[in-house]
Amino acid sequence: MTDAVLQRFYCVIPAGGTGTRLWPLSRANAPKFLHDLTGSGSTLIRATYDRLAELADHRVMVVTGNAHRDAVLEQLPELDDNSLVLESEPKDSGAAIGLAAAILYHRDPKSIMGSFAADQVIGPVPVFQDTVKEAVHAAATGKIVTIGITPTYASTGFGYIRQGEELGIENAPHAKNVAEFVEKPSEEVAKKYVESGQYLWNAGMFVAPTKLMLQHLEQNEPELYAGLIEIAEAWDTPQRNETTARIWPTLKKIAIDYAVAEPAAAAGDVAVVPGRFTWDDVGDFAAIGRLNPAAELGGLTVLGDKARVYADQASGVVVSDTHRVIALIGIDDVVIVDTPDALLVTTKEHSQSVKKAVEALKAQGDTDVL
Amino acid sequence: MTDAVLQRFYCVIPAGGTGTRLWPLSRANAPKFLHDLTGSGSTLIRATYDRLAELADHRVMVVTGNAHRDAVLEQLPELDDNSLVLESEPKDSGAAIGLAAAILYHRDPKSIMGSFAADQVIGPVPVFQDTVKEAVHAAATGKIVTIGITPTYASTGFGYIRQGEELGIENAPHAKNVAEFVEKPSEEVAKKYVESGQYLWNAGMFVAPTKLMLQHLEQNEPELYAGLIEIAEAWDTPQRNETTARIWPTLKKIAIDYAVAEPAAAAGDVAVVPGRFTWDDVGDFAAIGRLNPAAELGGLTVLGDKARVYADQASGVVVSDTHRVIALIGIDDVVIVDTPDALLVTTKEHSQSVKKAVEALKAQGDTDVL
């Protein structure tokens, strides 16, 4: 298929965030996106690449921390110096995605970028790809196009997108205007959102012309914009390292939502395409139970190549990152994560409290296992 | 104190049994008696020795498996070739305790032996010692004297002793005749026993003249008796090893209860002294919670020198045999036993099912961790 619009499409994969709620599996030096959390045989970042590479004719750019360079290249040997953007220190999504936009714009002013986090689980792939195609076509009309997720329950853990009128774009029949972005709601409000049918989850996925991204960035965060443009102009020259080392540390930390998406929505420049695929951000270990239904038939989901588990009247999730024998007796909805230097035992219900444990361990100096 | 009767007293400590319900802490090559299960700083066998050695003026004999020789000597460096009886293969308590009796009788026909398992927790020590002294004096009148434990609940896991009339023995004012031994009862029957006040738990502790032990053994198990006498006569000669190697493997496996105690009771030769000390056979991990009250104040009992535990809304027992960080969140009455090659997660309520897990692991070939 030749599709002139799709030929302008570049895929950007920001790979950041430790995934603290998945400790002790996910660590500062082995974050969530480097793990296979679905038993598919692929790490989350590899699966993300495979979902998108063909659609972008392998024009894929990954933005990640310097520390993860080798691990990412091991997962994605297709990448090279032109397609791997390394951050010397974390600067939040505004700088990370903004730099990708600036580099791509500098290389191709007509480029349309799509930004897709490296640590989400999505399927079926063809349905996802159709949604992305619609988003690319909608973006080509001069919109920042988010991909919204149809809520399956009244989550208080995600931001929501209120859908406006249909836009009637050719090749993007489901695209609508975005009326507003709303922050994580209370449970009561979340229920109303879901019942209304007007709201979608904001999964942080969007597709947009890089030119439009940069216009909004310039308007809202002119200093950040100027710094990113200076780096981008040096990127494909021998001055890349010097310029980056000089400017990156000075950049403001701000989320792309505040730097671009929300002001753009207020200006009427943001559209949304509702995703008709299933989506999970694998926010905690309870999600791992949901995402491994086949193994869960016996009541216990077991993840890990080397797992040696004996279960008697037990249900829940076991993630084994060791070769140890794990015996479970008479315990329901348990979550056990067994790694060489740290063990977590909790319940599905308390999965979200893992973050608090990590903070406490940090505070008490147990940083060797974080 | 010079006490002519006590000068005939020899202490025998049978150290056998893996303690399967304490897996994965207790193993075939590191059985229960080699662990410190009370946080006292002493292994159970060392604490047993220390409770008894002075009373017997250090005439202590340990009977254990060949495989545990080095570990036992490390715990009890006081032992030597004359006081350590090694079994080349397990032959049950009849042969183990019978051989000790035969050796002691051969050395001193007036000897009175006391048999005390290596893996029980008892206190306060002076109260226990007073009870043993009474038992020695009662034994000197020509009785096999069990030490019974006053039941604290309607246990279905122990045999019971029905007390008969008082014997009126000097220096053993609490000694009574044993009316009968009864096997582990149903819960209903156990309740009646406890309510009646007539029954004591059979803890397997007894004191008896070695001569009387051997008389009953000869009457009930003449072949076993003959074999043990032959070994005992060779024991303190250069023929010990040859004789033992030839005869031990041929001996019948039978518990001392059936070979001696029950027939002796039927013959009216058995007395009981009720113990006024606290007693625990540390039968499962729930017992470890009971035995460590100080540490349990926060709801969680933690055992292990190197333990690094983070707990949030958690109660139960953690036994750490590693240096790993263990994080527990939102889980009550849990039992976690963390060892380098095996992990157990269960609840206090299910502590008794650990034995079943060990049997299943054995059946499925995971013998490396048993």
Side-chain angles (χ1 to χ4, degrees), chain A residues 53-306:
Chain A
E54 201 186 346
L55 210 59
D57 198 17
H58 298 88
R59 294 179 299 271
V60 177
M61 176 176 276
V62 172
V63 186
T64 193
N66 237 330
H68 307 311
R69 180 184 179 278
D70 293 351
V72 167
L73 283 175
E74 196 181 311
Q75 288 301 313
L76 306 177
E78 296 90 341
L79 299 183
D80 60 23
D81 254 11
N82 287 323
S83 49
L84 186 58
V85 175
L86 298 172
E87 305 169 286
S88 56
E89 56 183 287
K91 282 289 179 187
D92 214 331
S93 55
I97 294 169
L99 178 57
I103 294 169
L104 293 175
Y105 176 75
H106 193 258
R107 289 179 184 164
D108 175 1
K110 288 188 170 306
S111 56
I112 294 172
M113 73 183 290
S115 176
F116 305 91
D119 55 4
Q120 301 179 346
V121 174
I122 285 170
V125 171
V127 177
F128 169 74
Q129 291 173 334
D130 285 346
T131 308
V132 175
K133 274 185 214 164
E134 280 203 47
V136 175
H137 281 281
T141 69
K143 292 279 185 185
I144 295 175
V145 185
T146 64
I147 295 175
I149 309 296
T150 307
T152 50
Y153 65 100
S155 171
T156 60
F158 303 125
Y160 284 71
I161 299 163
R162 182 154 66 87
Q163 304 175 76
E165 72 280 9
E166 293 196 1
L167 290 170
I169 299 170
E170 202 189 344
N171 292 326
H174 302 92
K176 294 175 180 176
N177 198 28
V178 164
E180 62 171 335
F181 289 103
V182 286
E183 302 269 347
K184 297 174 186 176
S186 67
E187 193 160 342
E188 197 183 359
V189 173
K191 275 183 187 160
K192 284 183 189 161
Y193 286 176
V194 174
E195 282 163 15
S196 76
Q198 289 214 300
Y199 288 81
L200 302 170
W201 285 339
N202 181 359
M205 280 185 278
F206 66 88
V207 181
T210 51
K211 184 175 176 180
L212 181 61
M213 289 289 291
L214 295 171
Q215 279 172 357
H216 281 286
L217 188 63
E218 181 176 20
Q219 195 162 346
N220 299 303
E221 295 290 340
E223 287 185 36
L224 177 57
Y225 168 81
L228 293 175
I229 291 295
E230 190 172 349
I231 296 174
E233 285 175 351
W235 196 260
D236 293 325
T237 76
Q239 277 69 53
R240 178 197 291 187
N241 291 341
E242 179 275 318
T243 310
T244 306
R246 180 167 44 79
I247 293 175
W248 187 261
T250 70
L251 296 179
K252 179 175 177 178
K253 283 189 183 182
I254 183 171
I256 192 75
D257 309 73
Y258 305 127
V260 173
E262 292 185 10
D269 272 355
V270 183
V272 60
V273 175
R276 285 151 291 145
F277 45 82
T278 64
W279 173 88
D280 202 306
D281 73 338
V282 207
D284 58 31
F285 286 110
I288 289 182
R290 288 198 302 273
L291 291 168
N292 293 269
E296 201 173 22
L297 289 178
L300 193 70
T301 297
V302 177
L303 226 69
D305 293 345
K306 301 172 289 182

Side-chain angles (χ1 to χ4, degrees), chain A residues 284-286 315-317 331-336 344-354, chain B residues 313 327-332 334:
Chain A
D284 58 31
F285 286 110
S315 66
V317 175
I331 195 158
D332 277 320
D333 289 324
V334 74
V335 170
I336 294 177
L344 170 70
V345 178
T346 185
T347 65
K348 284 188 178 179
E349 192 195 347
H350 289 83
S351 299
Q352 289 279 324
S353 302
V354 173
Chain B
Q313 302 173 61
L328 291 181
I329 305 170
I331 195 157
D332 278 319
V334 74

Side-chain angles (χ1 to χ4, degrees), chain B residues 19-360:
Chain B
T20 306
R21 287 186 187 84
L22 294 176
W23 179 90
L25 189 65
S26 188
R27 306 283 181 105
N29 63 358
K32 183 177 156 191
F33 61 81
L34 290 173
H35 295 273
D36 170 13
L37 299 179
T38 64
S40 69
S42 288
T43 61
L44 295 184
I45 194 172
R46 180 71 226 179
T48 302
Y49 183 94
D50 288 339
R51 254 192 322 269
L52 288 156
E54 202 186 346
L55 210 58
D57 199 17
H58 298 88
R59 296 179 299 271
V60 177
M61 176 177 275
V62 171
V63 186
T64 193
N66 236 330
H68 307 311
R69 180 185 179 278
D70 293 350
V72 167
L73 284 175
E74 195 181 312
Q75 287 300 313
L76 306 177
E78 295 90 341
L79 299 183
D80 60 25
D81 253 11
N82 287 321
S83 49
L84 186 58
V85 176
L86 298 173
E87 305 169 286
S88 56
E89 57 183 288
K91 281 289 179 184
D92 215 330
S93 55
I97 294 171
L99 178 57
I103 294 169
L104 293 175
Y105 176 74
H106 193 258
R107 288 179 185 165
D108 176 0
K110 288 188 170 308
S111 57
I112 295 171
M113 72 183 290
S115 177
F116 305 90
D119 55 6
Q120 301 179 345
V121 174
I122 285 170
V125 170
V127 177
F128 170 73
Q129 290 172 333
D130 285 346
T131 308
V132 175
K133 274 185 214 166
E134 279 202 49
V136 175
H137 281 282
T141 69
K143 292 280 184 184
I144 295 175
V145 186
T146 63
I147 294 174
I149 309 296
T150 306
T152 49
Y153 65 99
S155 171
T156 59
F158 305 124
Y160 283 71
I161 299 164
R162 183 155 66 87
Q163 305 174 76
E165 71 280 8
E166 293 195 359
L167 289 171
I169 299 170
E170 202 188 343
N171 293 325
H174 303 93
K176 293 174 181 176
N177 198 28
V178 164
E180 62 170 335
F181 289 103
V182 287
E183 302 269 346
K184 296 174 186 176
S186 68
E187 193 160 345
E188 197 183 359
V189 173
K191 275 183 187 159
K192 284 183 190 161
Y193 286 176
V194 174
E195 282 164 14
S196 76
Q198 288 212 298
Y199 288 80
L200 301 170
W201 286 338
N202 182 0
M205 281 185 276
F206 67 88
V207 181
T210 52
K211 184 176 175 179
L212 182 60
M213 289 289 292
L214 294 171
Q215 279 172 356
H216 281 287
L217 188 63
E218 181 176 18
Q219 196 164 347
N220 299 303
E221 295 291 340
E223 286 184 37
L224 177 56
Y225 168 81
L228 293 175
I229 291 295
E230 190 173 349
I231 297 174
E233 284 175 353
W235 195 260
D236 293 325
T237 76
Q239 278 71 54
R240 179 196 291 188
N241 291 342
E242 179 276 317
T243 310
T244 307
R246 179 167 45 81
I247 294 175
W248 186 261
T250 70
L251 297 179
K252 180 176 177 177
K253 283 189 184 181
I254 182 171
I256 193 74
D257 308 73
Y258 305 127
V260 172
E262 293 186 8
D269 272 356
V270 182
V272 61
V273 175
R276 284 151 292 144
F277 45 83
T278 63
W279 173 88
D280 203 305
D281 74 337
V282 207
D284 58 31
F285 286 111
I288 290 181
R290 287 197 302 274
L291 292 168
N292 293 269
E296 201 173 21
L297 289 177
L300 193 70
T301 297
V302 177
L303 226 70
D305 293 345
K306 301 172 287 181
R308 300 170 75 190
V309 175
Y310 165 83
D312 174 17
Q313 302 173 61
S315 66
V317 176
V318 174
V319 183
S320 168
D321 195 31
T322 73
H323 195 58
R324 305 196 313 159
V325 165
I326 301 176
L328 291 181
I329 305 170
I331 195 157
D332 278 319
D333 288 324
V334 74
V335 170
I336 294 177
V337 185
D338 185 43
T339 75
D341 59 356
L343 167 68
L344 169 71
V345 179
T346 184
T347 65
K348 285 188 178 179
E349 193 195 346
H350 288 83
S351 298
Q352 289 280 324
S353 301
V354 173
K355 187 176 182 174
K356 192 174 138 200
V358 171
E359 284 159 6

Side-chain angles (χ1 to χ4, degrees), chain A residues 308 324-325 329 339 343 366, chain B residues 308 324-325 339 343 346 366:
Chain A
R308 300 170 74 190
R324 305 196 315 158
V325 165
I329 305 171
T339 75
L343 167 69
D366 288 319
Chain B
R308 300 170 75 190
R324 305 196 313 159
V325 165
T339 75
L343 167 68
T346 184
D366 288 320

